[in-house]
Amino acid sequence: MKKVLIAGATGAMGQKAVALVNSLPDVELTAVLAPHLTADQREQFHLAPSVQIFQELNQVTPGIADIWVDFTIPAAVYTNVNFAIEHHMAPVVGTTGLNDGQEAELIEESKQYQCGGLIAPNFGMSAVLLMKFAKEAAKYFPDVEIIEMHHADKKDAPSGTALSTAKLIDQVRPNHETNPAEVTTLDQVRGGDYHGIKIHSVRLPGYIAHEQVLFGGAGEALTIRQDSFDRQSFMSGVKVALDKVLDLKELVIGLENIL
Amino acid sequence: MKKVLIAGATGAMGQKAVALVNSLPDVELTAVLAPHLTADQREQFHLAPSVQIFQELNQVTPGIADIWVDFTIPAAVYTNVNFAIEHHMAPVVGTTGLNDGQEAELIEESKQYQCGGLIAPNFGMSAVLLMKFAKEAAKYFPDVEIIEMHHADKKDAPSGTALSTAKLIDQVRPNHETNPAEVTTLDQVRGGDYHGIKIHSVRLPGYIAHEQVLFGGAGEALTIRQDSFDRQSFMSGVKVALDKVLDLKELVIGLENIL
Amino acid sequence: MKKVLIAGATGAMGQKAVALVNSLPDVELTAVLAPHLTADQREQFHLAPSVQIFQELNQVTPGIADIWVDFTIPAAVYTNVNFAIEHHMAPVVGTTGLNDGQEAELIEESKQYQCGGLIAPNFGMSAVLLMKFAKEAAKYFPDVEIIEMHHADKKDAPSGTALSTAKLIDQVRPNHETNPAEVTTLDQVRGGDYHGIKIHSVRLPGYIAHEQVLFGGAGEALTIRQDSFDRQSFMSGVKVALDKVLDLKELVIGLENIL
Amino acid sequence: MKKVLIAGATGAMGQKAVALVNSLPDVELTAVLAPHLTADQREQFHLAPSVQIFQELNQVTPGIADIWVDFTIPAAVYTNVNFAIEHHMAPVVGTTGLNDGQEAELIEESKQYQCGGLIAPNFGMSAVLLMKFAKEAAKYFPDVEIIEMHHADKKDAPSGTALSTAKLIDQVRPNHETNPAEVTTLDQVRGGDYHGIKIHSVRLPGYIAHEQVLFGGAGEALTIRQDSFDRQSFMSGVKVALDKVLDLKELVIGLENIL
């Protein structure tokens, strides 16, 4: 039985994580960390009587858990993960806000403490598998374009997943230019260009979060598509992380790297 | 029984038109116009003994046909269509190369001679219906983007069909801007912009000619897609034109306008 | 200014209808009908002080509205619509539960009273346009199959929209059999058959409600797809109905018939 | 420089294979086997003067090639592959017609002779990658359905690729039933069933050969699609096989197993 602490257990994602852990047969929720959470709110947040409640990091009992699930806030995540590693609780981190330097430091520390862990910008299995498969297919199909489609309220383009996918493809794709002599009669119609990989961002109301990777070769095409309808989808990836994190020897970035 | 003359009967499209007319029960091929075509090539080009062969325009017998199908060359098409109208043969024109002024003149002339006719940049029924439906849907869904996908050898972008679709949508779409405050972190990623309608062109080997129109509204999406795999598809539109052209009172531009 | 009464204003759909009417410049909410609704709940249900509240049908003041929007329950809808027509309030009905005989009676009555109206099984504009376009395309493409995809909890198959689409196509499609000599090595793999139109139902978790109509012809394909992500989509159709219902001369079944 | 013999060099696929080998820098065509092929047809079949032409199997010089590419006929393939293995020419086989017993025998023989080789029912990389990815995704998404779409002349359903995909998924997918209580109001609408995996076959003119694998999970979906437009696509897989076959230690079935 793996023991789990959830930091940020009262947030939107944290509550989903509590529900997930409560539903799994081989995992036990032993503690939560959440500022302001009081014992009389146990029922509201679906916390069994056995679950210890901590309001501050320095209260957390070492050894209370094997795994530290973190869905907190950018200001807290570095200190939390640091603490988890030092106390041999394998971190599973969905909180954003760590910069490259902090990630490097935490990886170094995880090696020193021989503590596995996972930091995942995206826990949605469909997005993670899309990225993994796209990277693999690009070895055989160097001609590739990406189309991502999101709701009209999304303010930035391209999406993080689309850009991450392009970067992964770029690592393995042979140098290649698809159509050097092309002429565009409408500016920008060929989309954004990441090292020769075209990216197209669509923004429409009704849409939620969708990404397609299109590969073409002589006489054939391969398309990988993922649709995220609901953040509930993140829990499938957290489940995979809970399964595998204790087998890791150090902190890993990206769920696709532990599949 | 409608009598048909095919100008350009030995070209790639002309040969398909001959095969189409030969296969239809209510249409008869009475003549062809084709430079250099000789009587001993009848069998090669599937022309029955009754079909008259003309090598030059000024040889054509007035009254030899009710309908003039034209799949010739840009240099010939204006003179041909002019001739057809003056001799009361309803033109069905797939040849490109007429400019706006010439089209206007020919329409004027067709009214004067009370001769119906059709000039169609695209005879593929799937593309024509896509444009028609897109124009209709845009009345209810002002948020719309277009994605067209073609083989990597296509040198220009966007495709003619994509641009025509945007123009049709623009005629009916309420003034509208989908996402004014958006920030792009990769140049050009939001695609080309035709009066607020975004167009995205994808170029990949393997692909042939495909277009999607994506509409989004609160809680829903509508997508219309057409795929052209083969120029054989043009004949479905020629068939519709042969059915309807004699009912027209003047020269019409665009197959979608006679459906 | 069109005056509107909403029956069922406290239900899920009724509340959305109130929000819609409150947002439109040329429509005024003058009354609601809702059992148990009391004046102190005005704010909760976004009802202005000027809106009259009726708890029972026989309390409704004749002339209080031009349009009767009905999102009530199967047991109430026939009596409600009957009452609306008799008092010259044009019904816009999203409630299910009317049988064919009742619909016929209400149409007859609407003619007698010269009262327009609309009964719509589906107010989602994307679904309604899909059905309209599919019916139109089938005239040119007799080869057609339907794929509908829904969440895994949907207990019946095919979906109502898919079957309605097949029925509309069947009205106009030439008699046609696509592939009479085919051999299936796995039972049922070719899907359901409605008068020669194949229907395929997909059931998967994550999916919401989606339908595709696929047309094929020589060398080309046309696909119409709609996605319903959220019942919010129904309000786009209610808006169209509010725009057009007062121009109708009798009760019409199906939003597609007033576009 | 790898030396290659092509058996069936004058057939449709064989000619494409010759063109492929002629275009690759690290592979040399040293011989062909083709009944009735004569020296004066060299130019017609793009065979360099150095290429040896054999009309019968027993004429083939041992050691003339490192790799034996076979695009012949069902009646010849077993004897050919047997011969290739015995003479240490690694077979790359696209010919159909070997039964399970013959495959097992040839694998046994290949081990004995320590000769690598590949038998591939499908050399299209998009189809092969689709199968590989589908098998991998099914570990995380047990809810899956397959839709394959082919031209209307295809006489059998489901397609071989669809059935192979289902079999691969079945090897790894946890036991699972998506929607046990469902009610169908139109017979067969839920498609074919392979061990709980639904398969839907669409047959329409215009279409060529397409397959989709649809995965659904809580709040998300993953779709893998491949389109085969032209048999030219097979050559991408033959190229991969030529690259890798000499590294194999025995005869392998399925291109996906050497990626």
Side-chain angles (χ1 to χ4, degrees), chain D residues 54-228:
Chain D
F54 303 112
Q55 293 191 337
E56 289 179 34
L57 184 60
N58 59 22
Q59 298 169 346
V60 175
T61 322
I64 189 87
D66 307 307
I67 300 173
W68 175 289
V69 173
D70 200 294
F71 284 108
T72 60
I73 55 170
V77 61
Y78 177 77
T79 315
N80 283 354
V81 177
N82 201 50
F83 179 93
I85 291 171
E86 285 177 357
H87 294 83
H88 287 95
M89 292 180 273
V92 170
V93 183
T95 317
T96 55
L98 291 170
N99 61 40
D100 289 357
Q102 290 175 319
E103 286 187 358
E105 270 180 58
L106 292 169
I107 290 170
E108 204 45 53
E109 194 182 17
S110 73
K111 289 180 187 169
Q112 193 183 321
Y113 283 84
Q114 296 186 302
C115 177
L118 177 76
I119 296 175
N122 195 334
F123 273 108
M125 283 303 296
S126 62
V128 168
L129 288 175
L130 172 137
M131 287 187 280
K132 183 173 190 297
F133 296 159
K135 184 176 176 180
E136 196 167 338
K139 288 180 219 161
Y140 305 99
F141 288 104
D143 292 292
V144 52
E145 304 204 7
I146 297 171
I147 303 173
E148 53 94 348
M149 304 178 288
H150 280 80
H151 54 90
D153 299 330
K154 184 169 174 63
K155 285 295 181 286
D156 58 319
S159 70
T161 305
L163 195 58
S164 297
T165 308
K167 286 178 180 173
L168 287 169
I169 290 172
D170 185 50
Q171 290 172 14
V172 299
R173 179 178 173 256
N175 246 330
H176 187 80
E177 194 175 12
T178 297
N179 198 354
E182 73 188 352
V183 174
T184 56
T185 59
L186 182 68
D187 270 4
Q188 314 203 358
V189 78
R190 287 287 284 116
D193 185 301
Y194 180 84
H195 295 196
I197 302 161
K198 297 291 185 187
I199 306 180
H200 310 268
S201 296
V202 173
R203 294 292 174 267
L204 285 170
Y207 279 74
I208 305 166
H210 319 261
E211 185 181 350
Q212 296 178 67
V213 188
L214 291 78
F215 296 96
E220 66 181 333
L222 175 70
T223 307
I224 308 170
R225 174 178 177 140
Q226 72 82 221
D227 301 89
S228 297

Side-chain angles (χ1 to χ4, degrees), chain B residues 143-184:
Chain B
D143 292 293
V144 53
E145 303 204 7
I146 297 170
I147 303 173
E148 55 92 348
M149 303 178 289
H150 280 80
H151 54 91
D153 299 329
K154 184 170 173 62
K155 284 296 181 285
D156 58 319
S159 70
T161 304
L163 195 59
S164 297
T165 307
K167 285 178 180 174
L168 287 169
I169 289 171
D170 185 50
Q171 289 172 17
V172 299
R173 179 178 173 257
N175 247 329
H176 188 82
E177 195 176 10
T178 298
N179 198 353
E182 73 187 353
V183 173
T184 57

Side-chain angles (χ1 to χ4, degrees), chain A residues 126 132 136 219-220 223 229, chain D residues 126 132 136 219-220 225 229:
Chain A
S126 62
K132 182 171 190 299
E136 195 167 338
E220 65 181 334
T223 306
F229 298 116
Chain D
S126 62
K132 183 173 190 297
E136 196 167 338
E220 66 181 333
R225 174 178 177 140
F229 298 116

Side-chain angles (χ1 to χ4, degrees), chain A residues 193-214:
Chain A
D193 185 301
Y194 181 83
H195 296 196
I197 303 161
K198 298 291 185 186
I199 306 179
H200 309 267
S201 295
V202 172
R203 294 291 173 270
L204 286 169
Y207 279 75
I208 304 165
H210 320 261
E211 185 182 350
Q212 296 178 66
V213 188
L214 291 78

Side-chain angles (χ1 to χ4, degrees), chain B residues 42-110:
Chain B
R42 274 185 189 280
E43 209 168 323
Q44 181 188 345
F45 290 107
H46 304 284
L47 306 174
S50 62
V51 177
Q52 287 224 31
I53 296 177
F54 303 113
Q55 293 192 339
E56 289 179 34
L57 184 62
N58 58 21
Q59 297 170 345
V60 176
T61 320
I64 189 88
D66 307 307
I67 300 173
W68 176 287
V69 172
D70 200 293
F71 283 109
T72 60
I73 56 171
V77 60
Y78 177 76
T79 314
N80 282 356
V81 177
N82 202 49
F83 179 91
I85 292 173
E86 285 178 358
H87 294 84
H88 287 95
M89 293 179 273
V92 170
V93 184
T95 318
T96 57
L98 291 170
N99 62 40
D100 289 358
Q102 290 175 319
E103 285 188 358
E105 269 180 58
L106 290 169
I107 290 171
E108 204 46 53
E109 195 184 16
S110 75

Side-chain angles (χ1 to χ4, degrees), chain C residues 21 26 61 64 70 121 131 133-134 138 150 165 182 211 221:
Chain C
V21 168
D26 60 337
T61 320
I64 189 89
D70 199 292
M131 287 189 278
F133 296 159
H150 280 80
T165 307
E182 72 187 355
E211 185 182 349

